[in-house]
Every structure is written in C-alpha cells, then in structure tokens.
Amino acid sequence: ERGSLGDTSFRVSGWKEDAGSMALRSAHARASLRLRGGAGEDEDEVQRLIENGCSLWDDEKDASGAERCFLKAIELSPKNEEALSSYGVLLHESSNNFQEATKYFEMALSSNPSHIDSLHFYGNMMHAMHEDLKAKMLYERAIQEAERMIANGEEPHILYVETLCNYGALLEKALGEVDAAEMAYKKALEVNPEDTSVLFNYGVLLEDRKDDVDGAQTMYLRALEIDPEDLNVLMNMALLLQNHRHDYHAAEKYFTKAMEVNPDRVDLLSNFAVFLEDIRHDTNR
C-alpha cells in the first residue's frame, strides 16, 4: 500500500513546494494594468506597491516589508481589489491569520465580486481551514468568471488552470466527487496539456479512484517528459511499477532518480528502504 506519496497536490504555498502563488498575482497585476490602457499617477503608485509587496513576500519571504507595501496601497486606494486580495493572501500564507485574511478577501469581493484572484486565493484558504463547501463555491465562481472571459474571446486567465487543478483535488479528496474532479482535470489539460501538477493529480485519480493503471502511467510519463525531476511523479511512477507492474528493475530506476533529486525526503527514504529490503531481497533469492 502507498503511504502519502499518492496524495493529490494543491498548487499553492504550503501544499506544493514550487507554487509561487504571489508571483502569479504580481504577473496578473501587471497584465491588468496594461489591459486598462494605463493609469493615473496614484494608480501607478498603487500598482508599484502591489508588485513590490508580492516580490518581497514571494522572493524574500519578507512579510513585514510586504505588509507595509500592501497597507500603503490600500491607504491610497481603499477599494482596490488587487491590493486587498494580495494582503489577504499574505495574512494567510505568512501567519495563518484566517480571521483578518477573510476580512480582506471579503472586502476585495465587495469591491469586485468577479475578481478571479480573490475568488481563487480565498478558496485556497477555505480549503486550508477545511471549509470545503465554501472553497468549492469560491472555486466555481472563479471558474465561471474565467470561462466567461474565454467565451468573450479573451485569453484564459492566468489562474484558470490552477483553479481547475485545485478544484479537482478538492472534489476528489475532500468531497468524493470523482467524476466531477476528472472533468476538471480534463478541462485544465485542454487549456494547458503540459501542466505537470494537473497531469500528476489526474494520474493519482486514475490510479487510486478508477483503477486505471495504464491511464495513470500515461499521465505520469507525460509529466516526466516536461519535468524529468518532478519528485512526486518520480515516486509515484516507482510505486506504480512496484505495486501494479511488479517491474522491480524499472521501479528501482525511478526510486534512484528520485533520490538524486532529493535524498532527504522522509517518505521517499521510507518507501525506498522497504523496496530494497523486501522486494529486491525477495527477487534476488
């Protein structure tokens, strides 16, 4: 049996190591400014403060510096949904201050009920708080708004695929809605067929929920073509080959590659040790 290796990953800070959620916010903030066709002097300063705050937190984990930037931006523009939502993200990610973060997310959505960033990151926080039905509702509103943009001929929102990924994981793991989760992953892959987190999550669903080992292996291999050092995928491939294919030689290759990527990961060490002691020992008799 697999331990925690098959767990679906959420692409947000604290749930997946390489998330960079604030960096995504900063990129979207710049795109939003361009789409507006420019701004006045005060709005330029607000935008600069938001970007600086995102950079301070994402790149340097300077929560105090980021907070000063966001609060100054809110002082200059009290109803700016980007500033309000960014500060909500910071409060959640830096200190798990759910009560204050909720206040700022609600203020952002009061200013703009269709603000996808706020809906997405508020949904992430609700999931972290195990408020799964609220998280589901927020993700669905974000997806609906993103799809409205696409229907109007606009480019997919920068968080659209990520929202679908997290929504699918929530549906599968927390709510047991496996078919709906699969639809979310398929939709995400239609937009970006090279998103490794979606490929990984979909592979886990196929393996664990659908008993579709061939489909799961296909998803894992597609992910490894894009990122050959994705540790989660390497571990799951090793376990799939060990537990389902009984191809111990190939499984050992994936375990070894995973160890080269991160030799200190506890669950990897544990599973590899069991493999070496039990499986390899038995096959060498």
Side-chain angles (χ1 to χ4, degrees):
E1 288 288 321
R2 288 189 305 169
S4 61
L5 293 185
D7 287 348
T8 305
S9 70
F10 279 78
R11 294 186 301 156
V12 289
S13 181
W15 290 323
K16 186 173 173 66
E17 287 181 333
D18 60 349
S21 56
M22 293 292 285
L24 284 172
R25 293 190 52 78
S26 179
H28 178 57
R30 289 192 291 273
S32 297
L33 183 60
R34 287 196 295 270
L35 286 171
R36 285 195 299 267
E41 186 174 336
D42 285 346
E43 193 166 353
D44 282 342
E45 176 63 9
V46 169
Q47 201 65 38
R48 185 189 66 80
L49 287 164
I50 293 170
E51 292 186 20
N52 285 349
C54 291
S55 179
L56 284 168
W57 174 239
D58 191 61
D59 298 335
E60 303 177 29
K61 291 296 179 277
D62 181 357
S64 296
E67 182 175 48
R68 286 192 297 271
C69 288
F70 293 144
L71 288 176
K72 182 62 177 177
I74 293 168
E75 178 185 338
L76 292 172
S77 183
K79 294 186 178 182
N80 184 295
E81 63 267 32
E82 289 286 346
L84 292 164
S85 180
S86 295
Y87 190 39
V89 173
L90 178 70
L91 290 166
H92 168 211
E93 293 186 351
S94 67
S95 61
N96 283 331
N97 190 339
F98 298 128
Q99 184 174 355
E100 279 296 293
T102 296
K103 181 177 77 173
Y104 281 93
F105 283 130
E106 291 288 351
M107 290 168 64
L109 290 172
S110 177
S111 177
N112 181 0
S114 301
H115 189 234
I116 294 173
D117 297 54
S118 298
L119 293 166
H120 171 87
F121 289 110
Y122 195 7
N124 290 346
M125 189 182 78
M126 286 294 102
H127 173 75
M129 296 173 65
H130 305 291
E131 296 283 349
D132 294 323
L133 292 178
K134 175 76 179 239
K136 180 184 178 184
M137 180 271 291
L138 290 163
Y139 286 145
E140 287 174 348
R141 285 174 58 189
I143 291 165
Q144 182 179 30
E145 179 60 24
E147 291 176 349
R148 183 195 64 77
M149 293 171 61
I150 294 171
N152 288 338
E154 300 178 47
E155 289 293 317
H157 188 278
I158 193 170
L159 291 176
Y160 178 50
V161 170
E162 184 168 334
T163 304
L164 286 167
C165 183
N166 287 4
Y167 178 58
L170 175 76
L171 291 172
E172 178 195 351
K173 294 297 182 181
L175 300 175
E177 298 180 27
V178 177
D179 290 339
E182 183 174 18
M183 288 180 61
Y185 294 143
K186 285 182 175 179
K187 190 180 291 187
L189 290 174
E190 287 176 5
V191 178
N192 183 2
E194 297 187 347
D195 188 292
T196 56
S197 289
V198 179
L199 290 166
F200 172 74
N201 283 5
Y202 191 18
V204 171
L205 180 147
L206 291 170
E207 184 177 358
D208 289 352
R209 303 287 192 155
K210 300 277 189 175
D211 293 322
D212 182 357
V213 176
D214 291 341
Q217 186 168 351
T218 297
M219 293 299 127
Y220 296 152
L221 289 174
R222 281 175 58 184
L224 289 173
E225 286 180 5
I226 298 158
D227 182 2
E229 296 189 348
D230 189 309
L231 186 59
N232 287 327
V233 184
L234 288 167
M235 289 192 292
N236 275 25
M237 267 298 297
L239 288 163
L240 181 148
L241 291 165
Q242 174 187 334
N243 296 329
H244 296 293
R245 303 296 192 201
H246 307 294
D247 186 343
Y248 305 122
H249 179 68
E252 184 172 3
K253 286 185 175 180
Y254 282 100
F255 274 126
T256 301
K257 177 62 175 178
M259 288 291 294
E260 292 173 359
V261 174
N262 184 354
D264 299 320
R265 181 155 166 172
V266 175
D267 51 0
L268 169 61
L269 291 168
S270 174
N271 279 280
F272 195 23
V274 169
F275 173 85
L276 291 174
E277 283 187 31
D278 298 342
I279 306 299
R280 191 179 177 197
H281 178 71
D282 290 345
T283 58
N284 284 338
R285 284 182 175 178

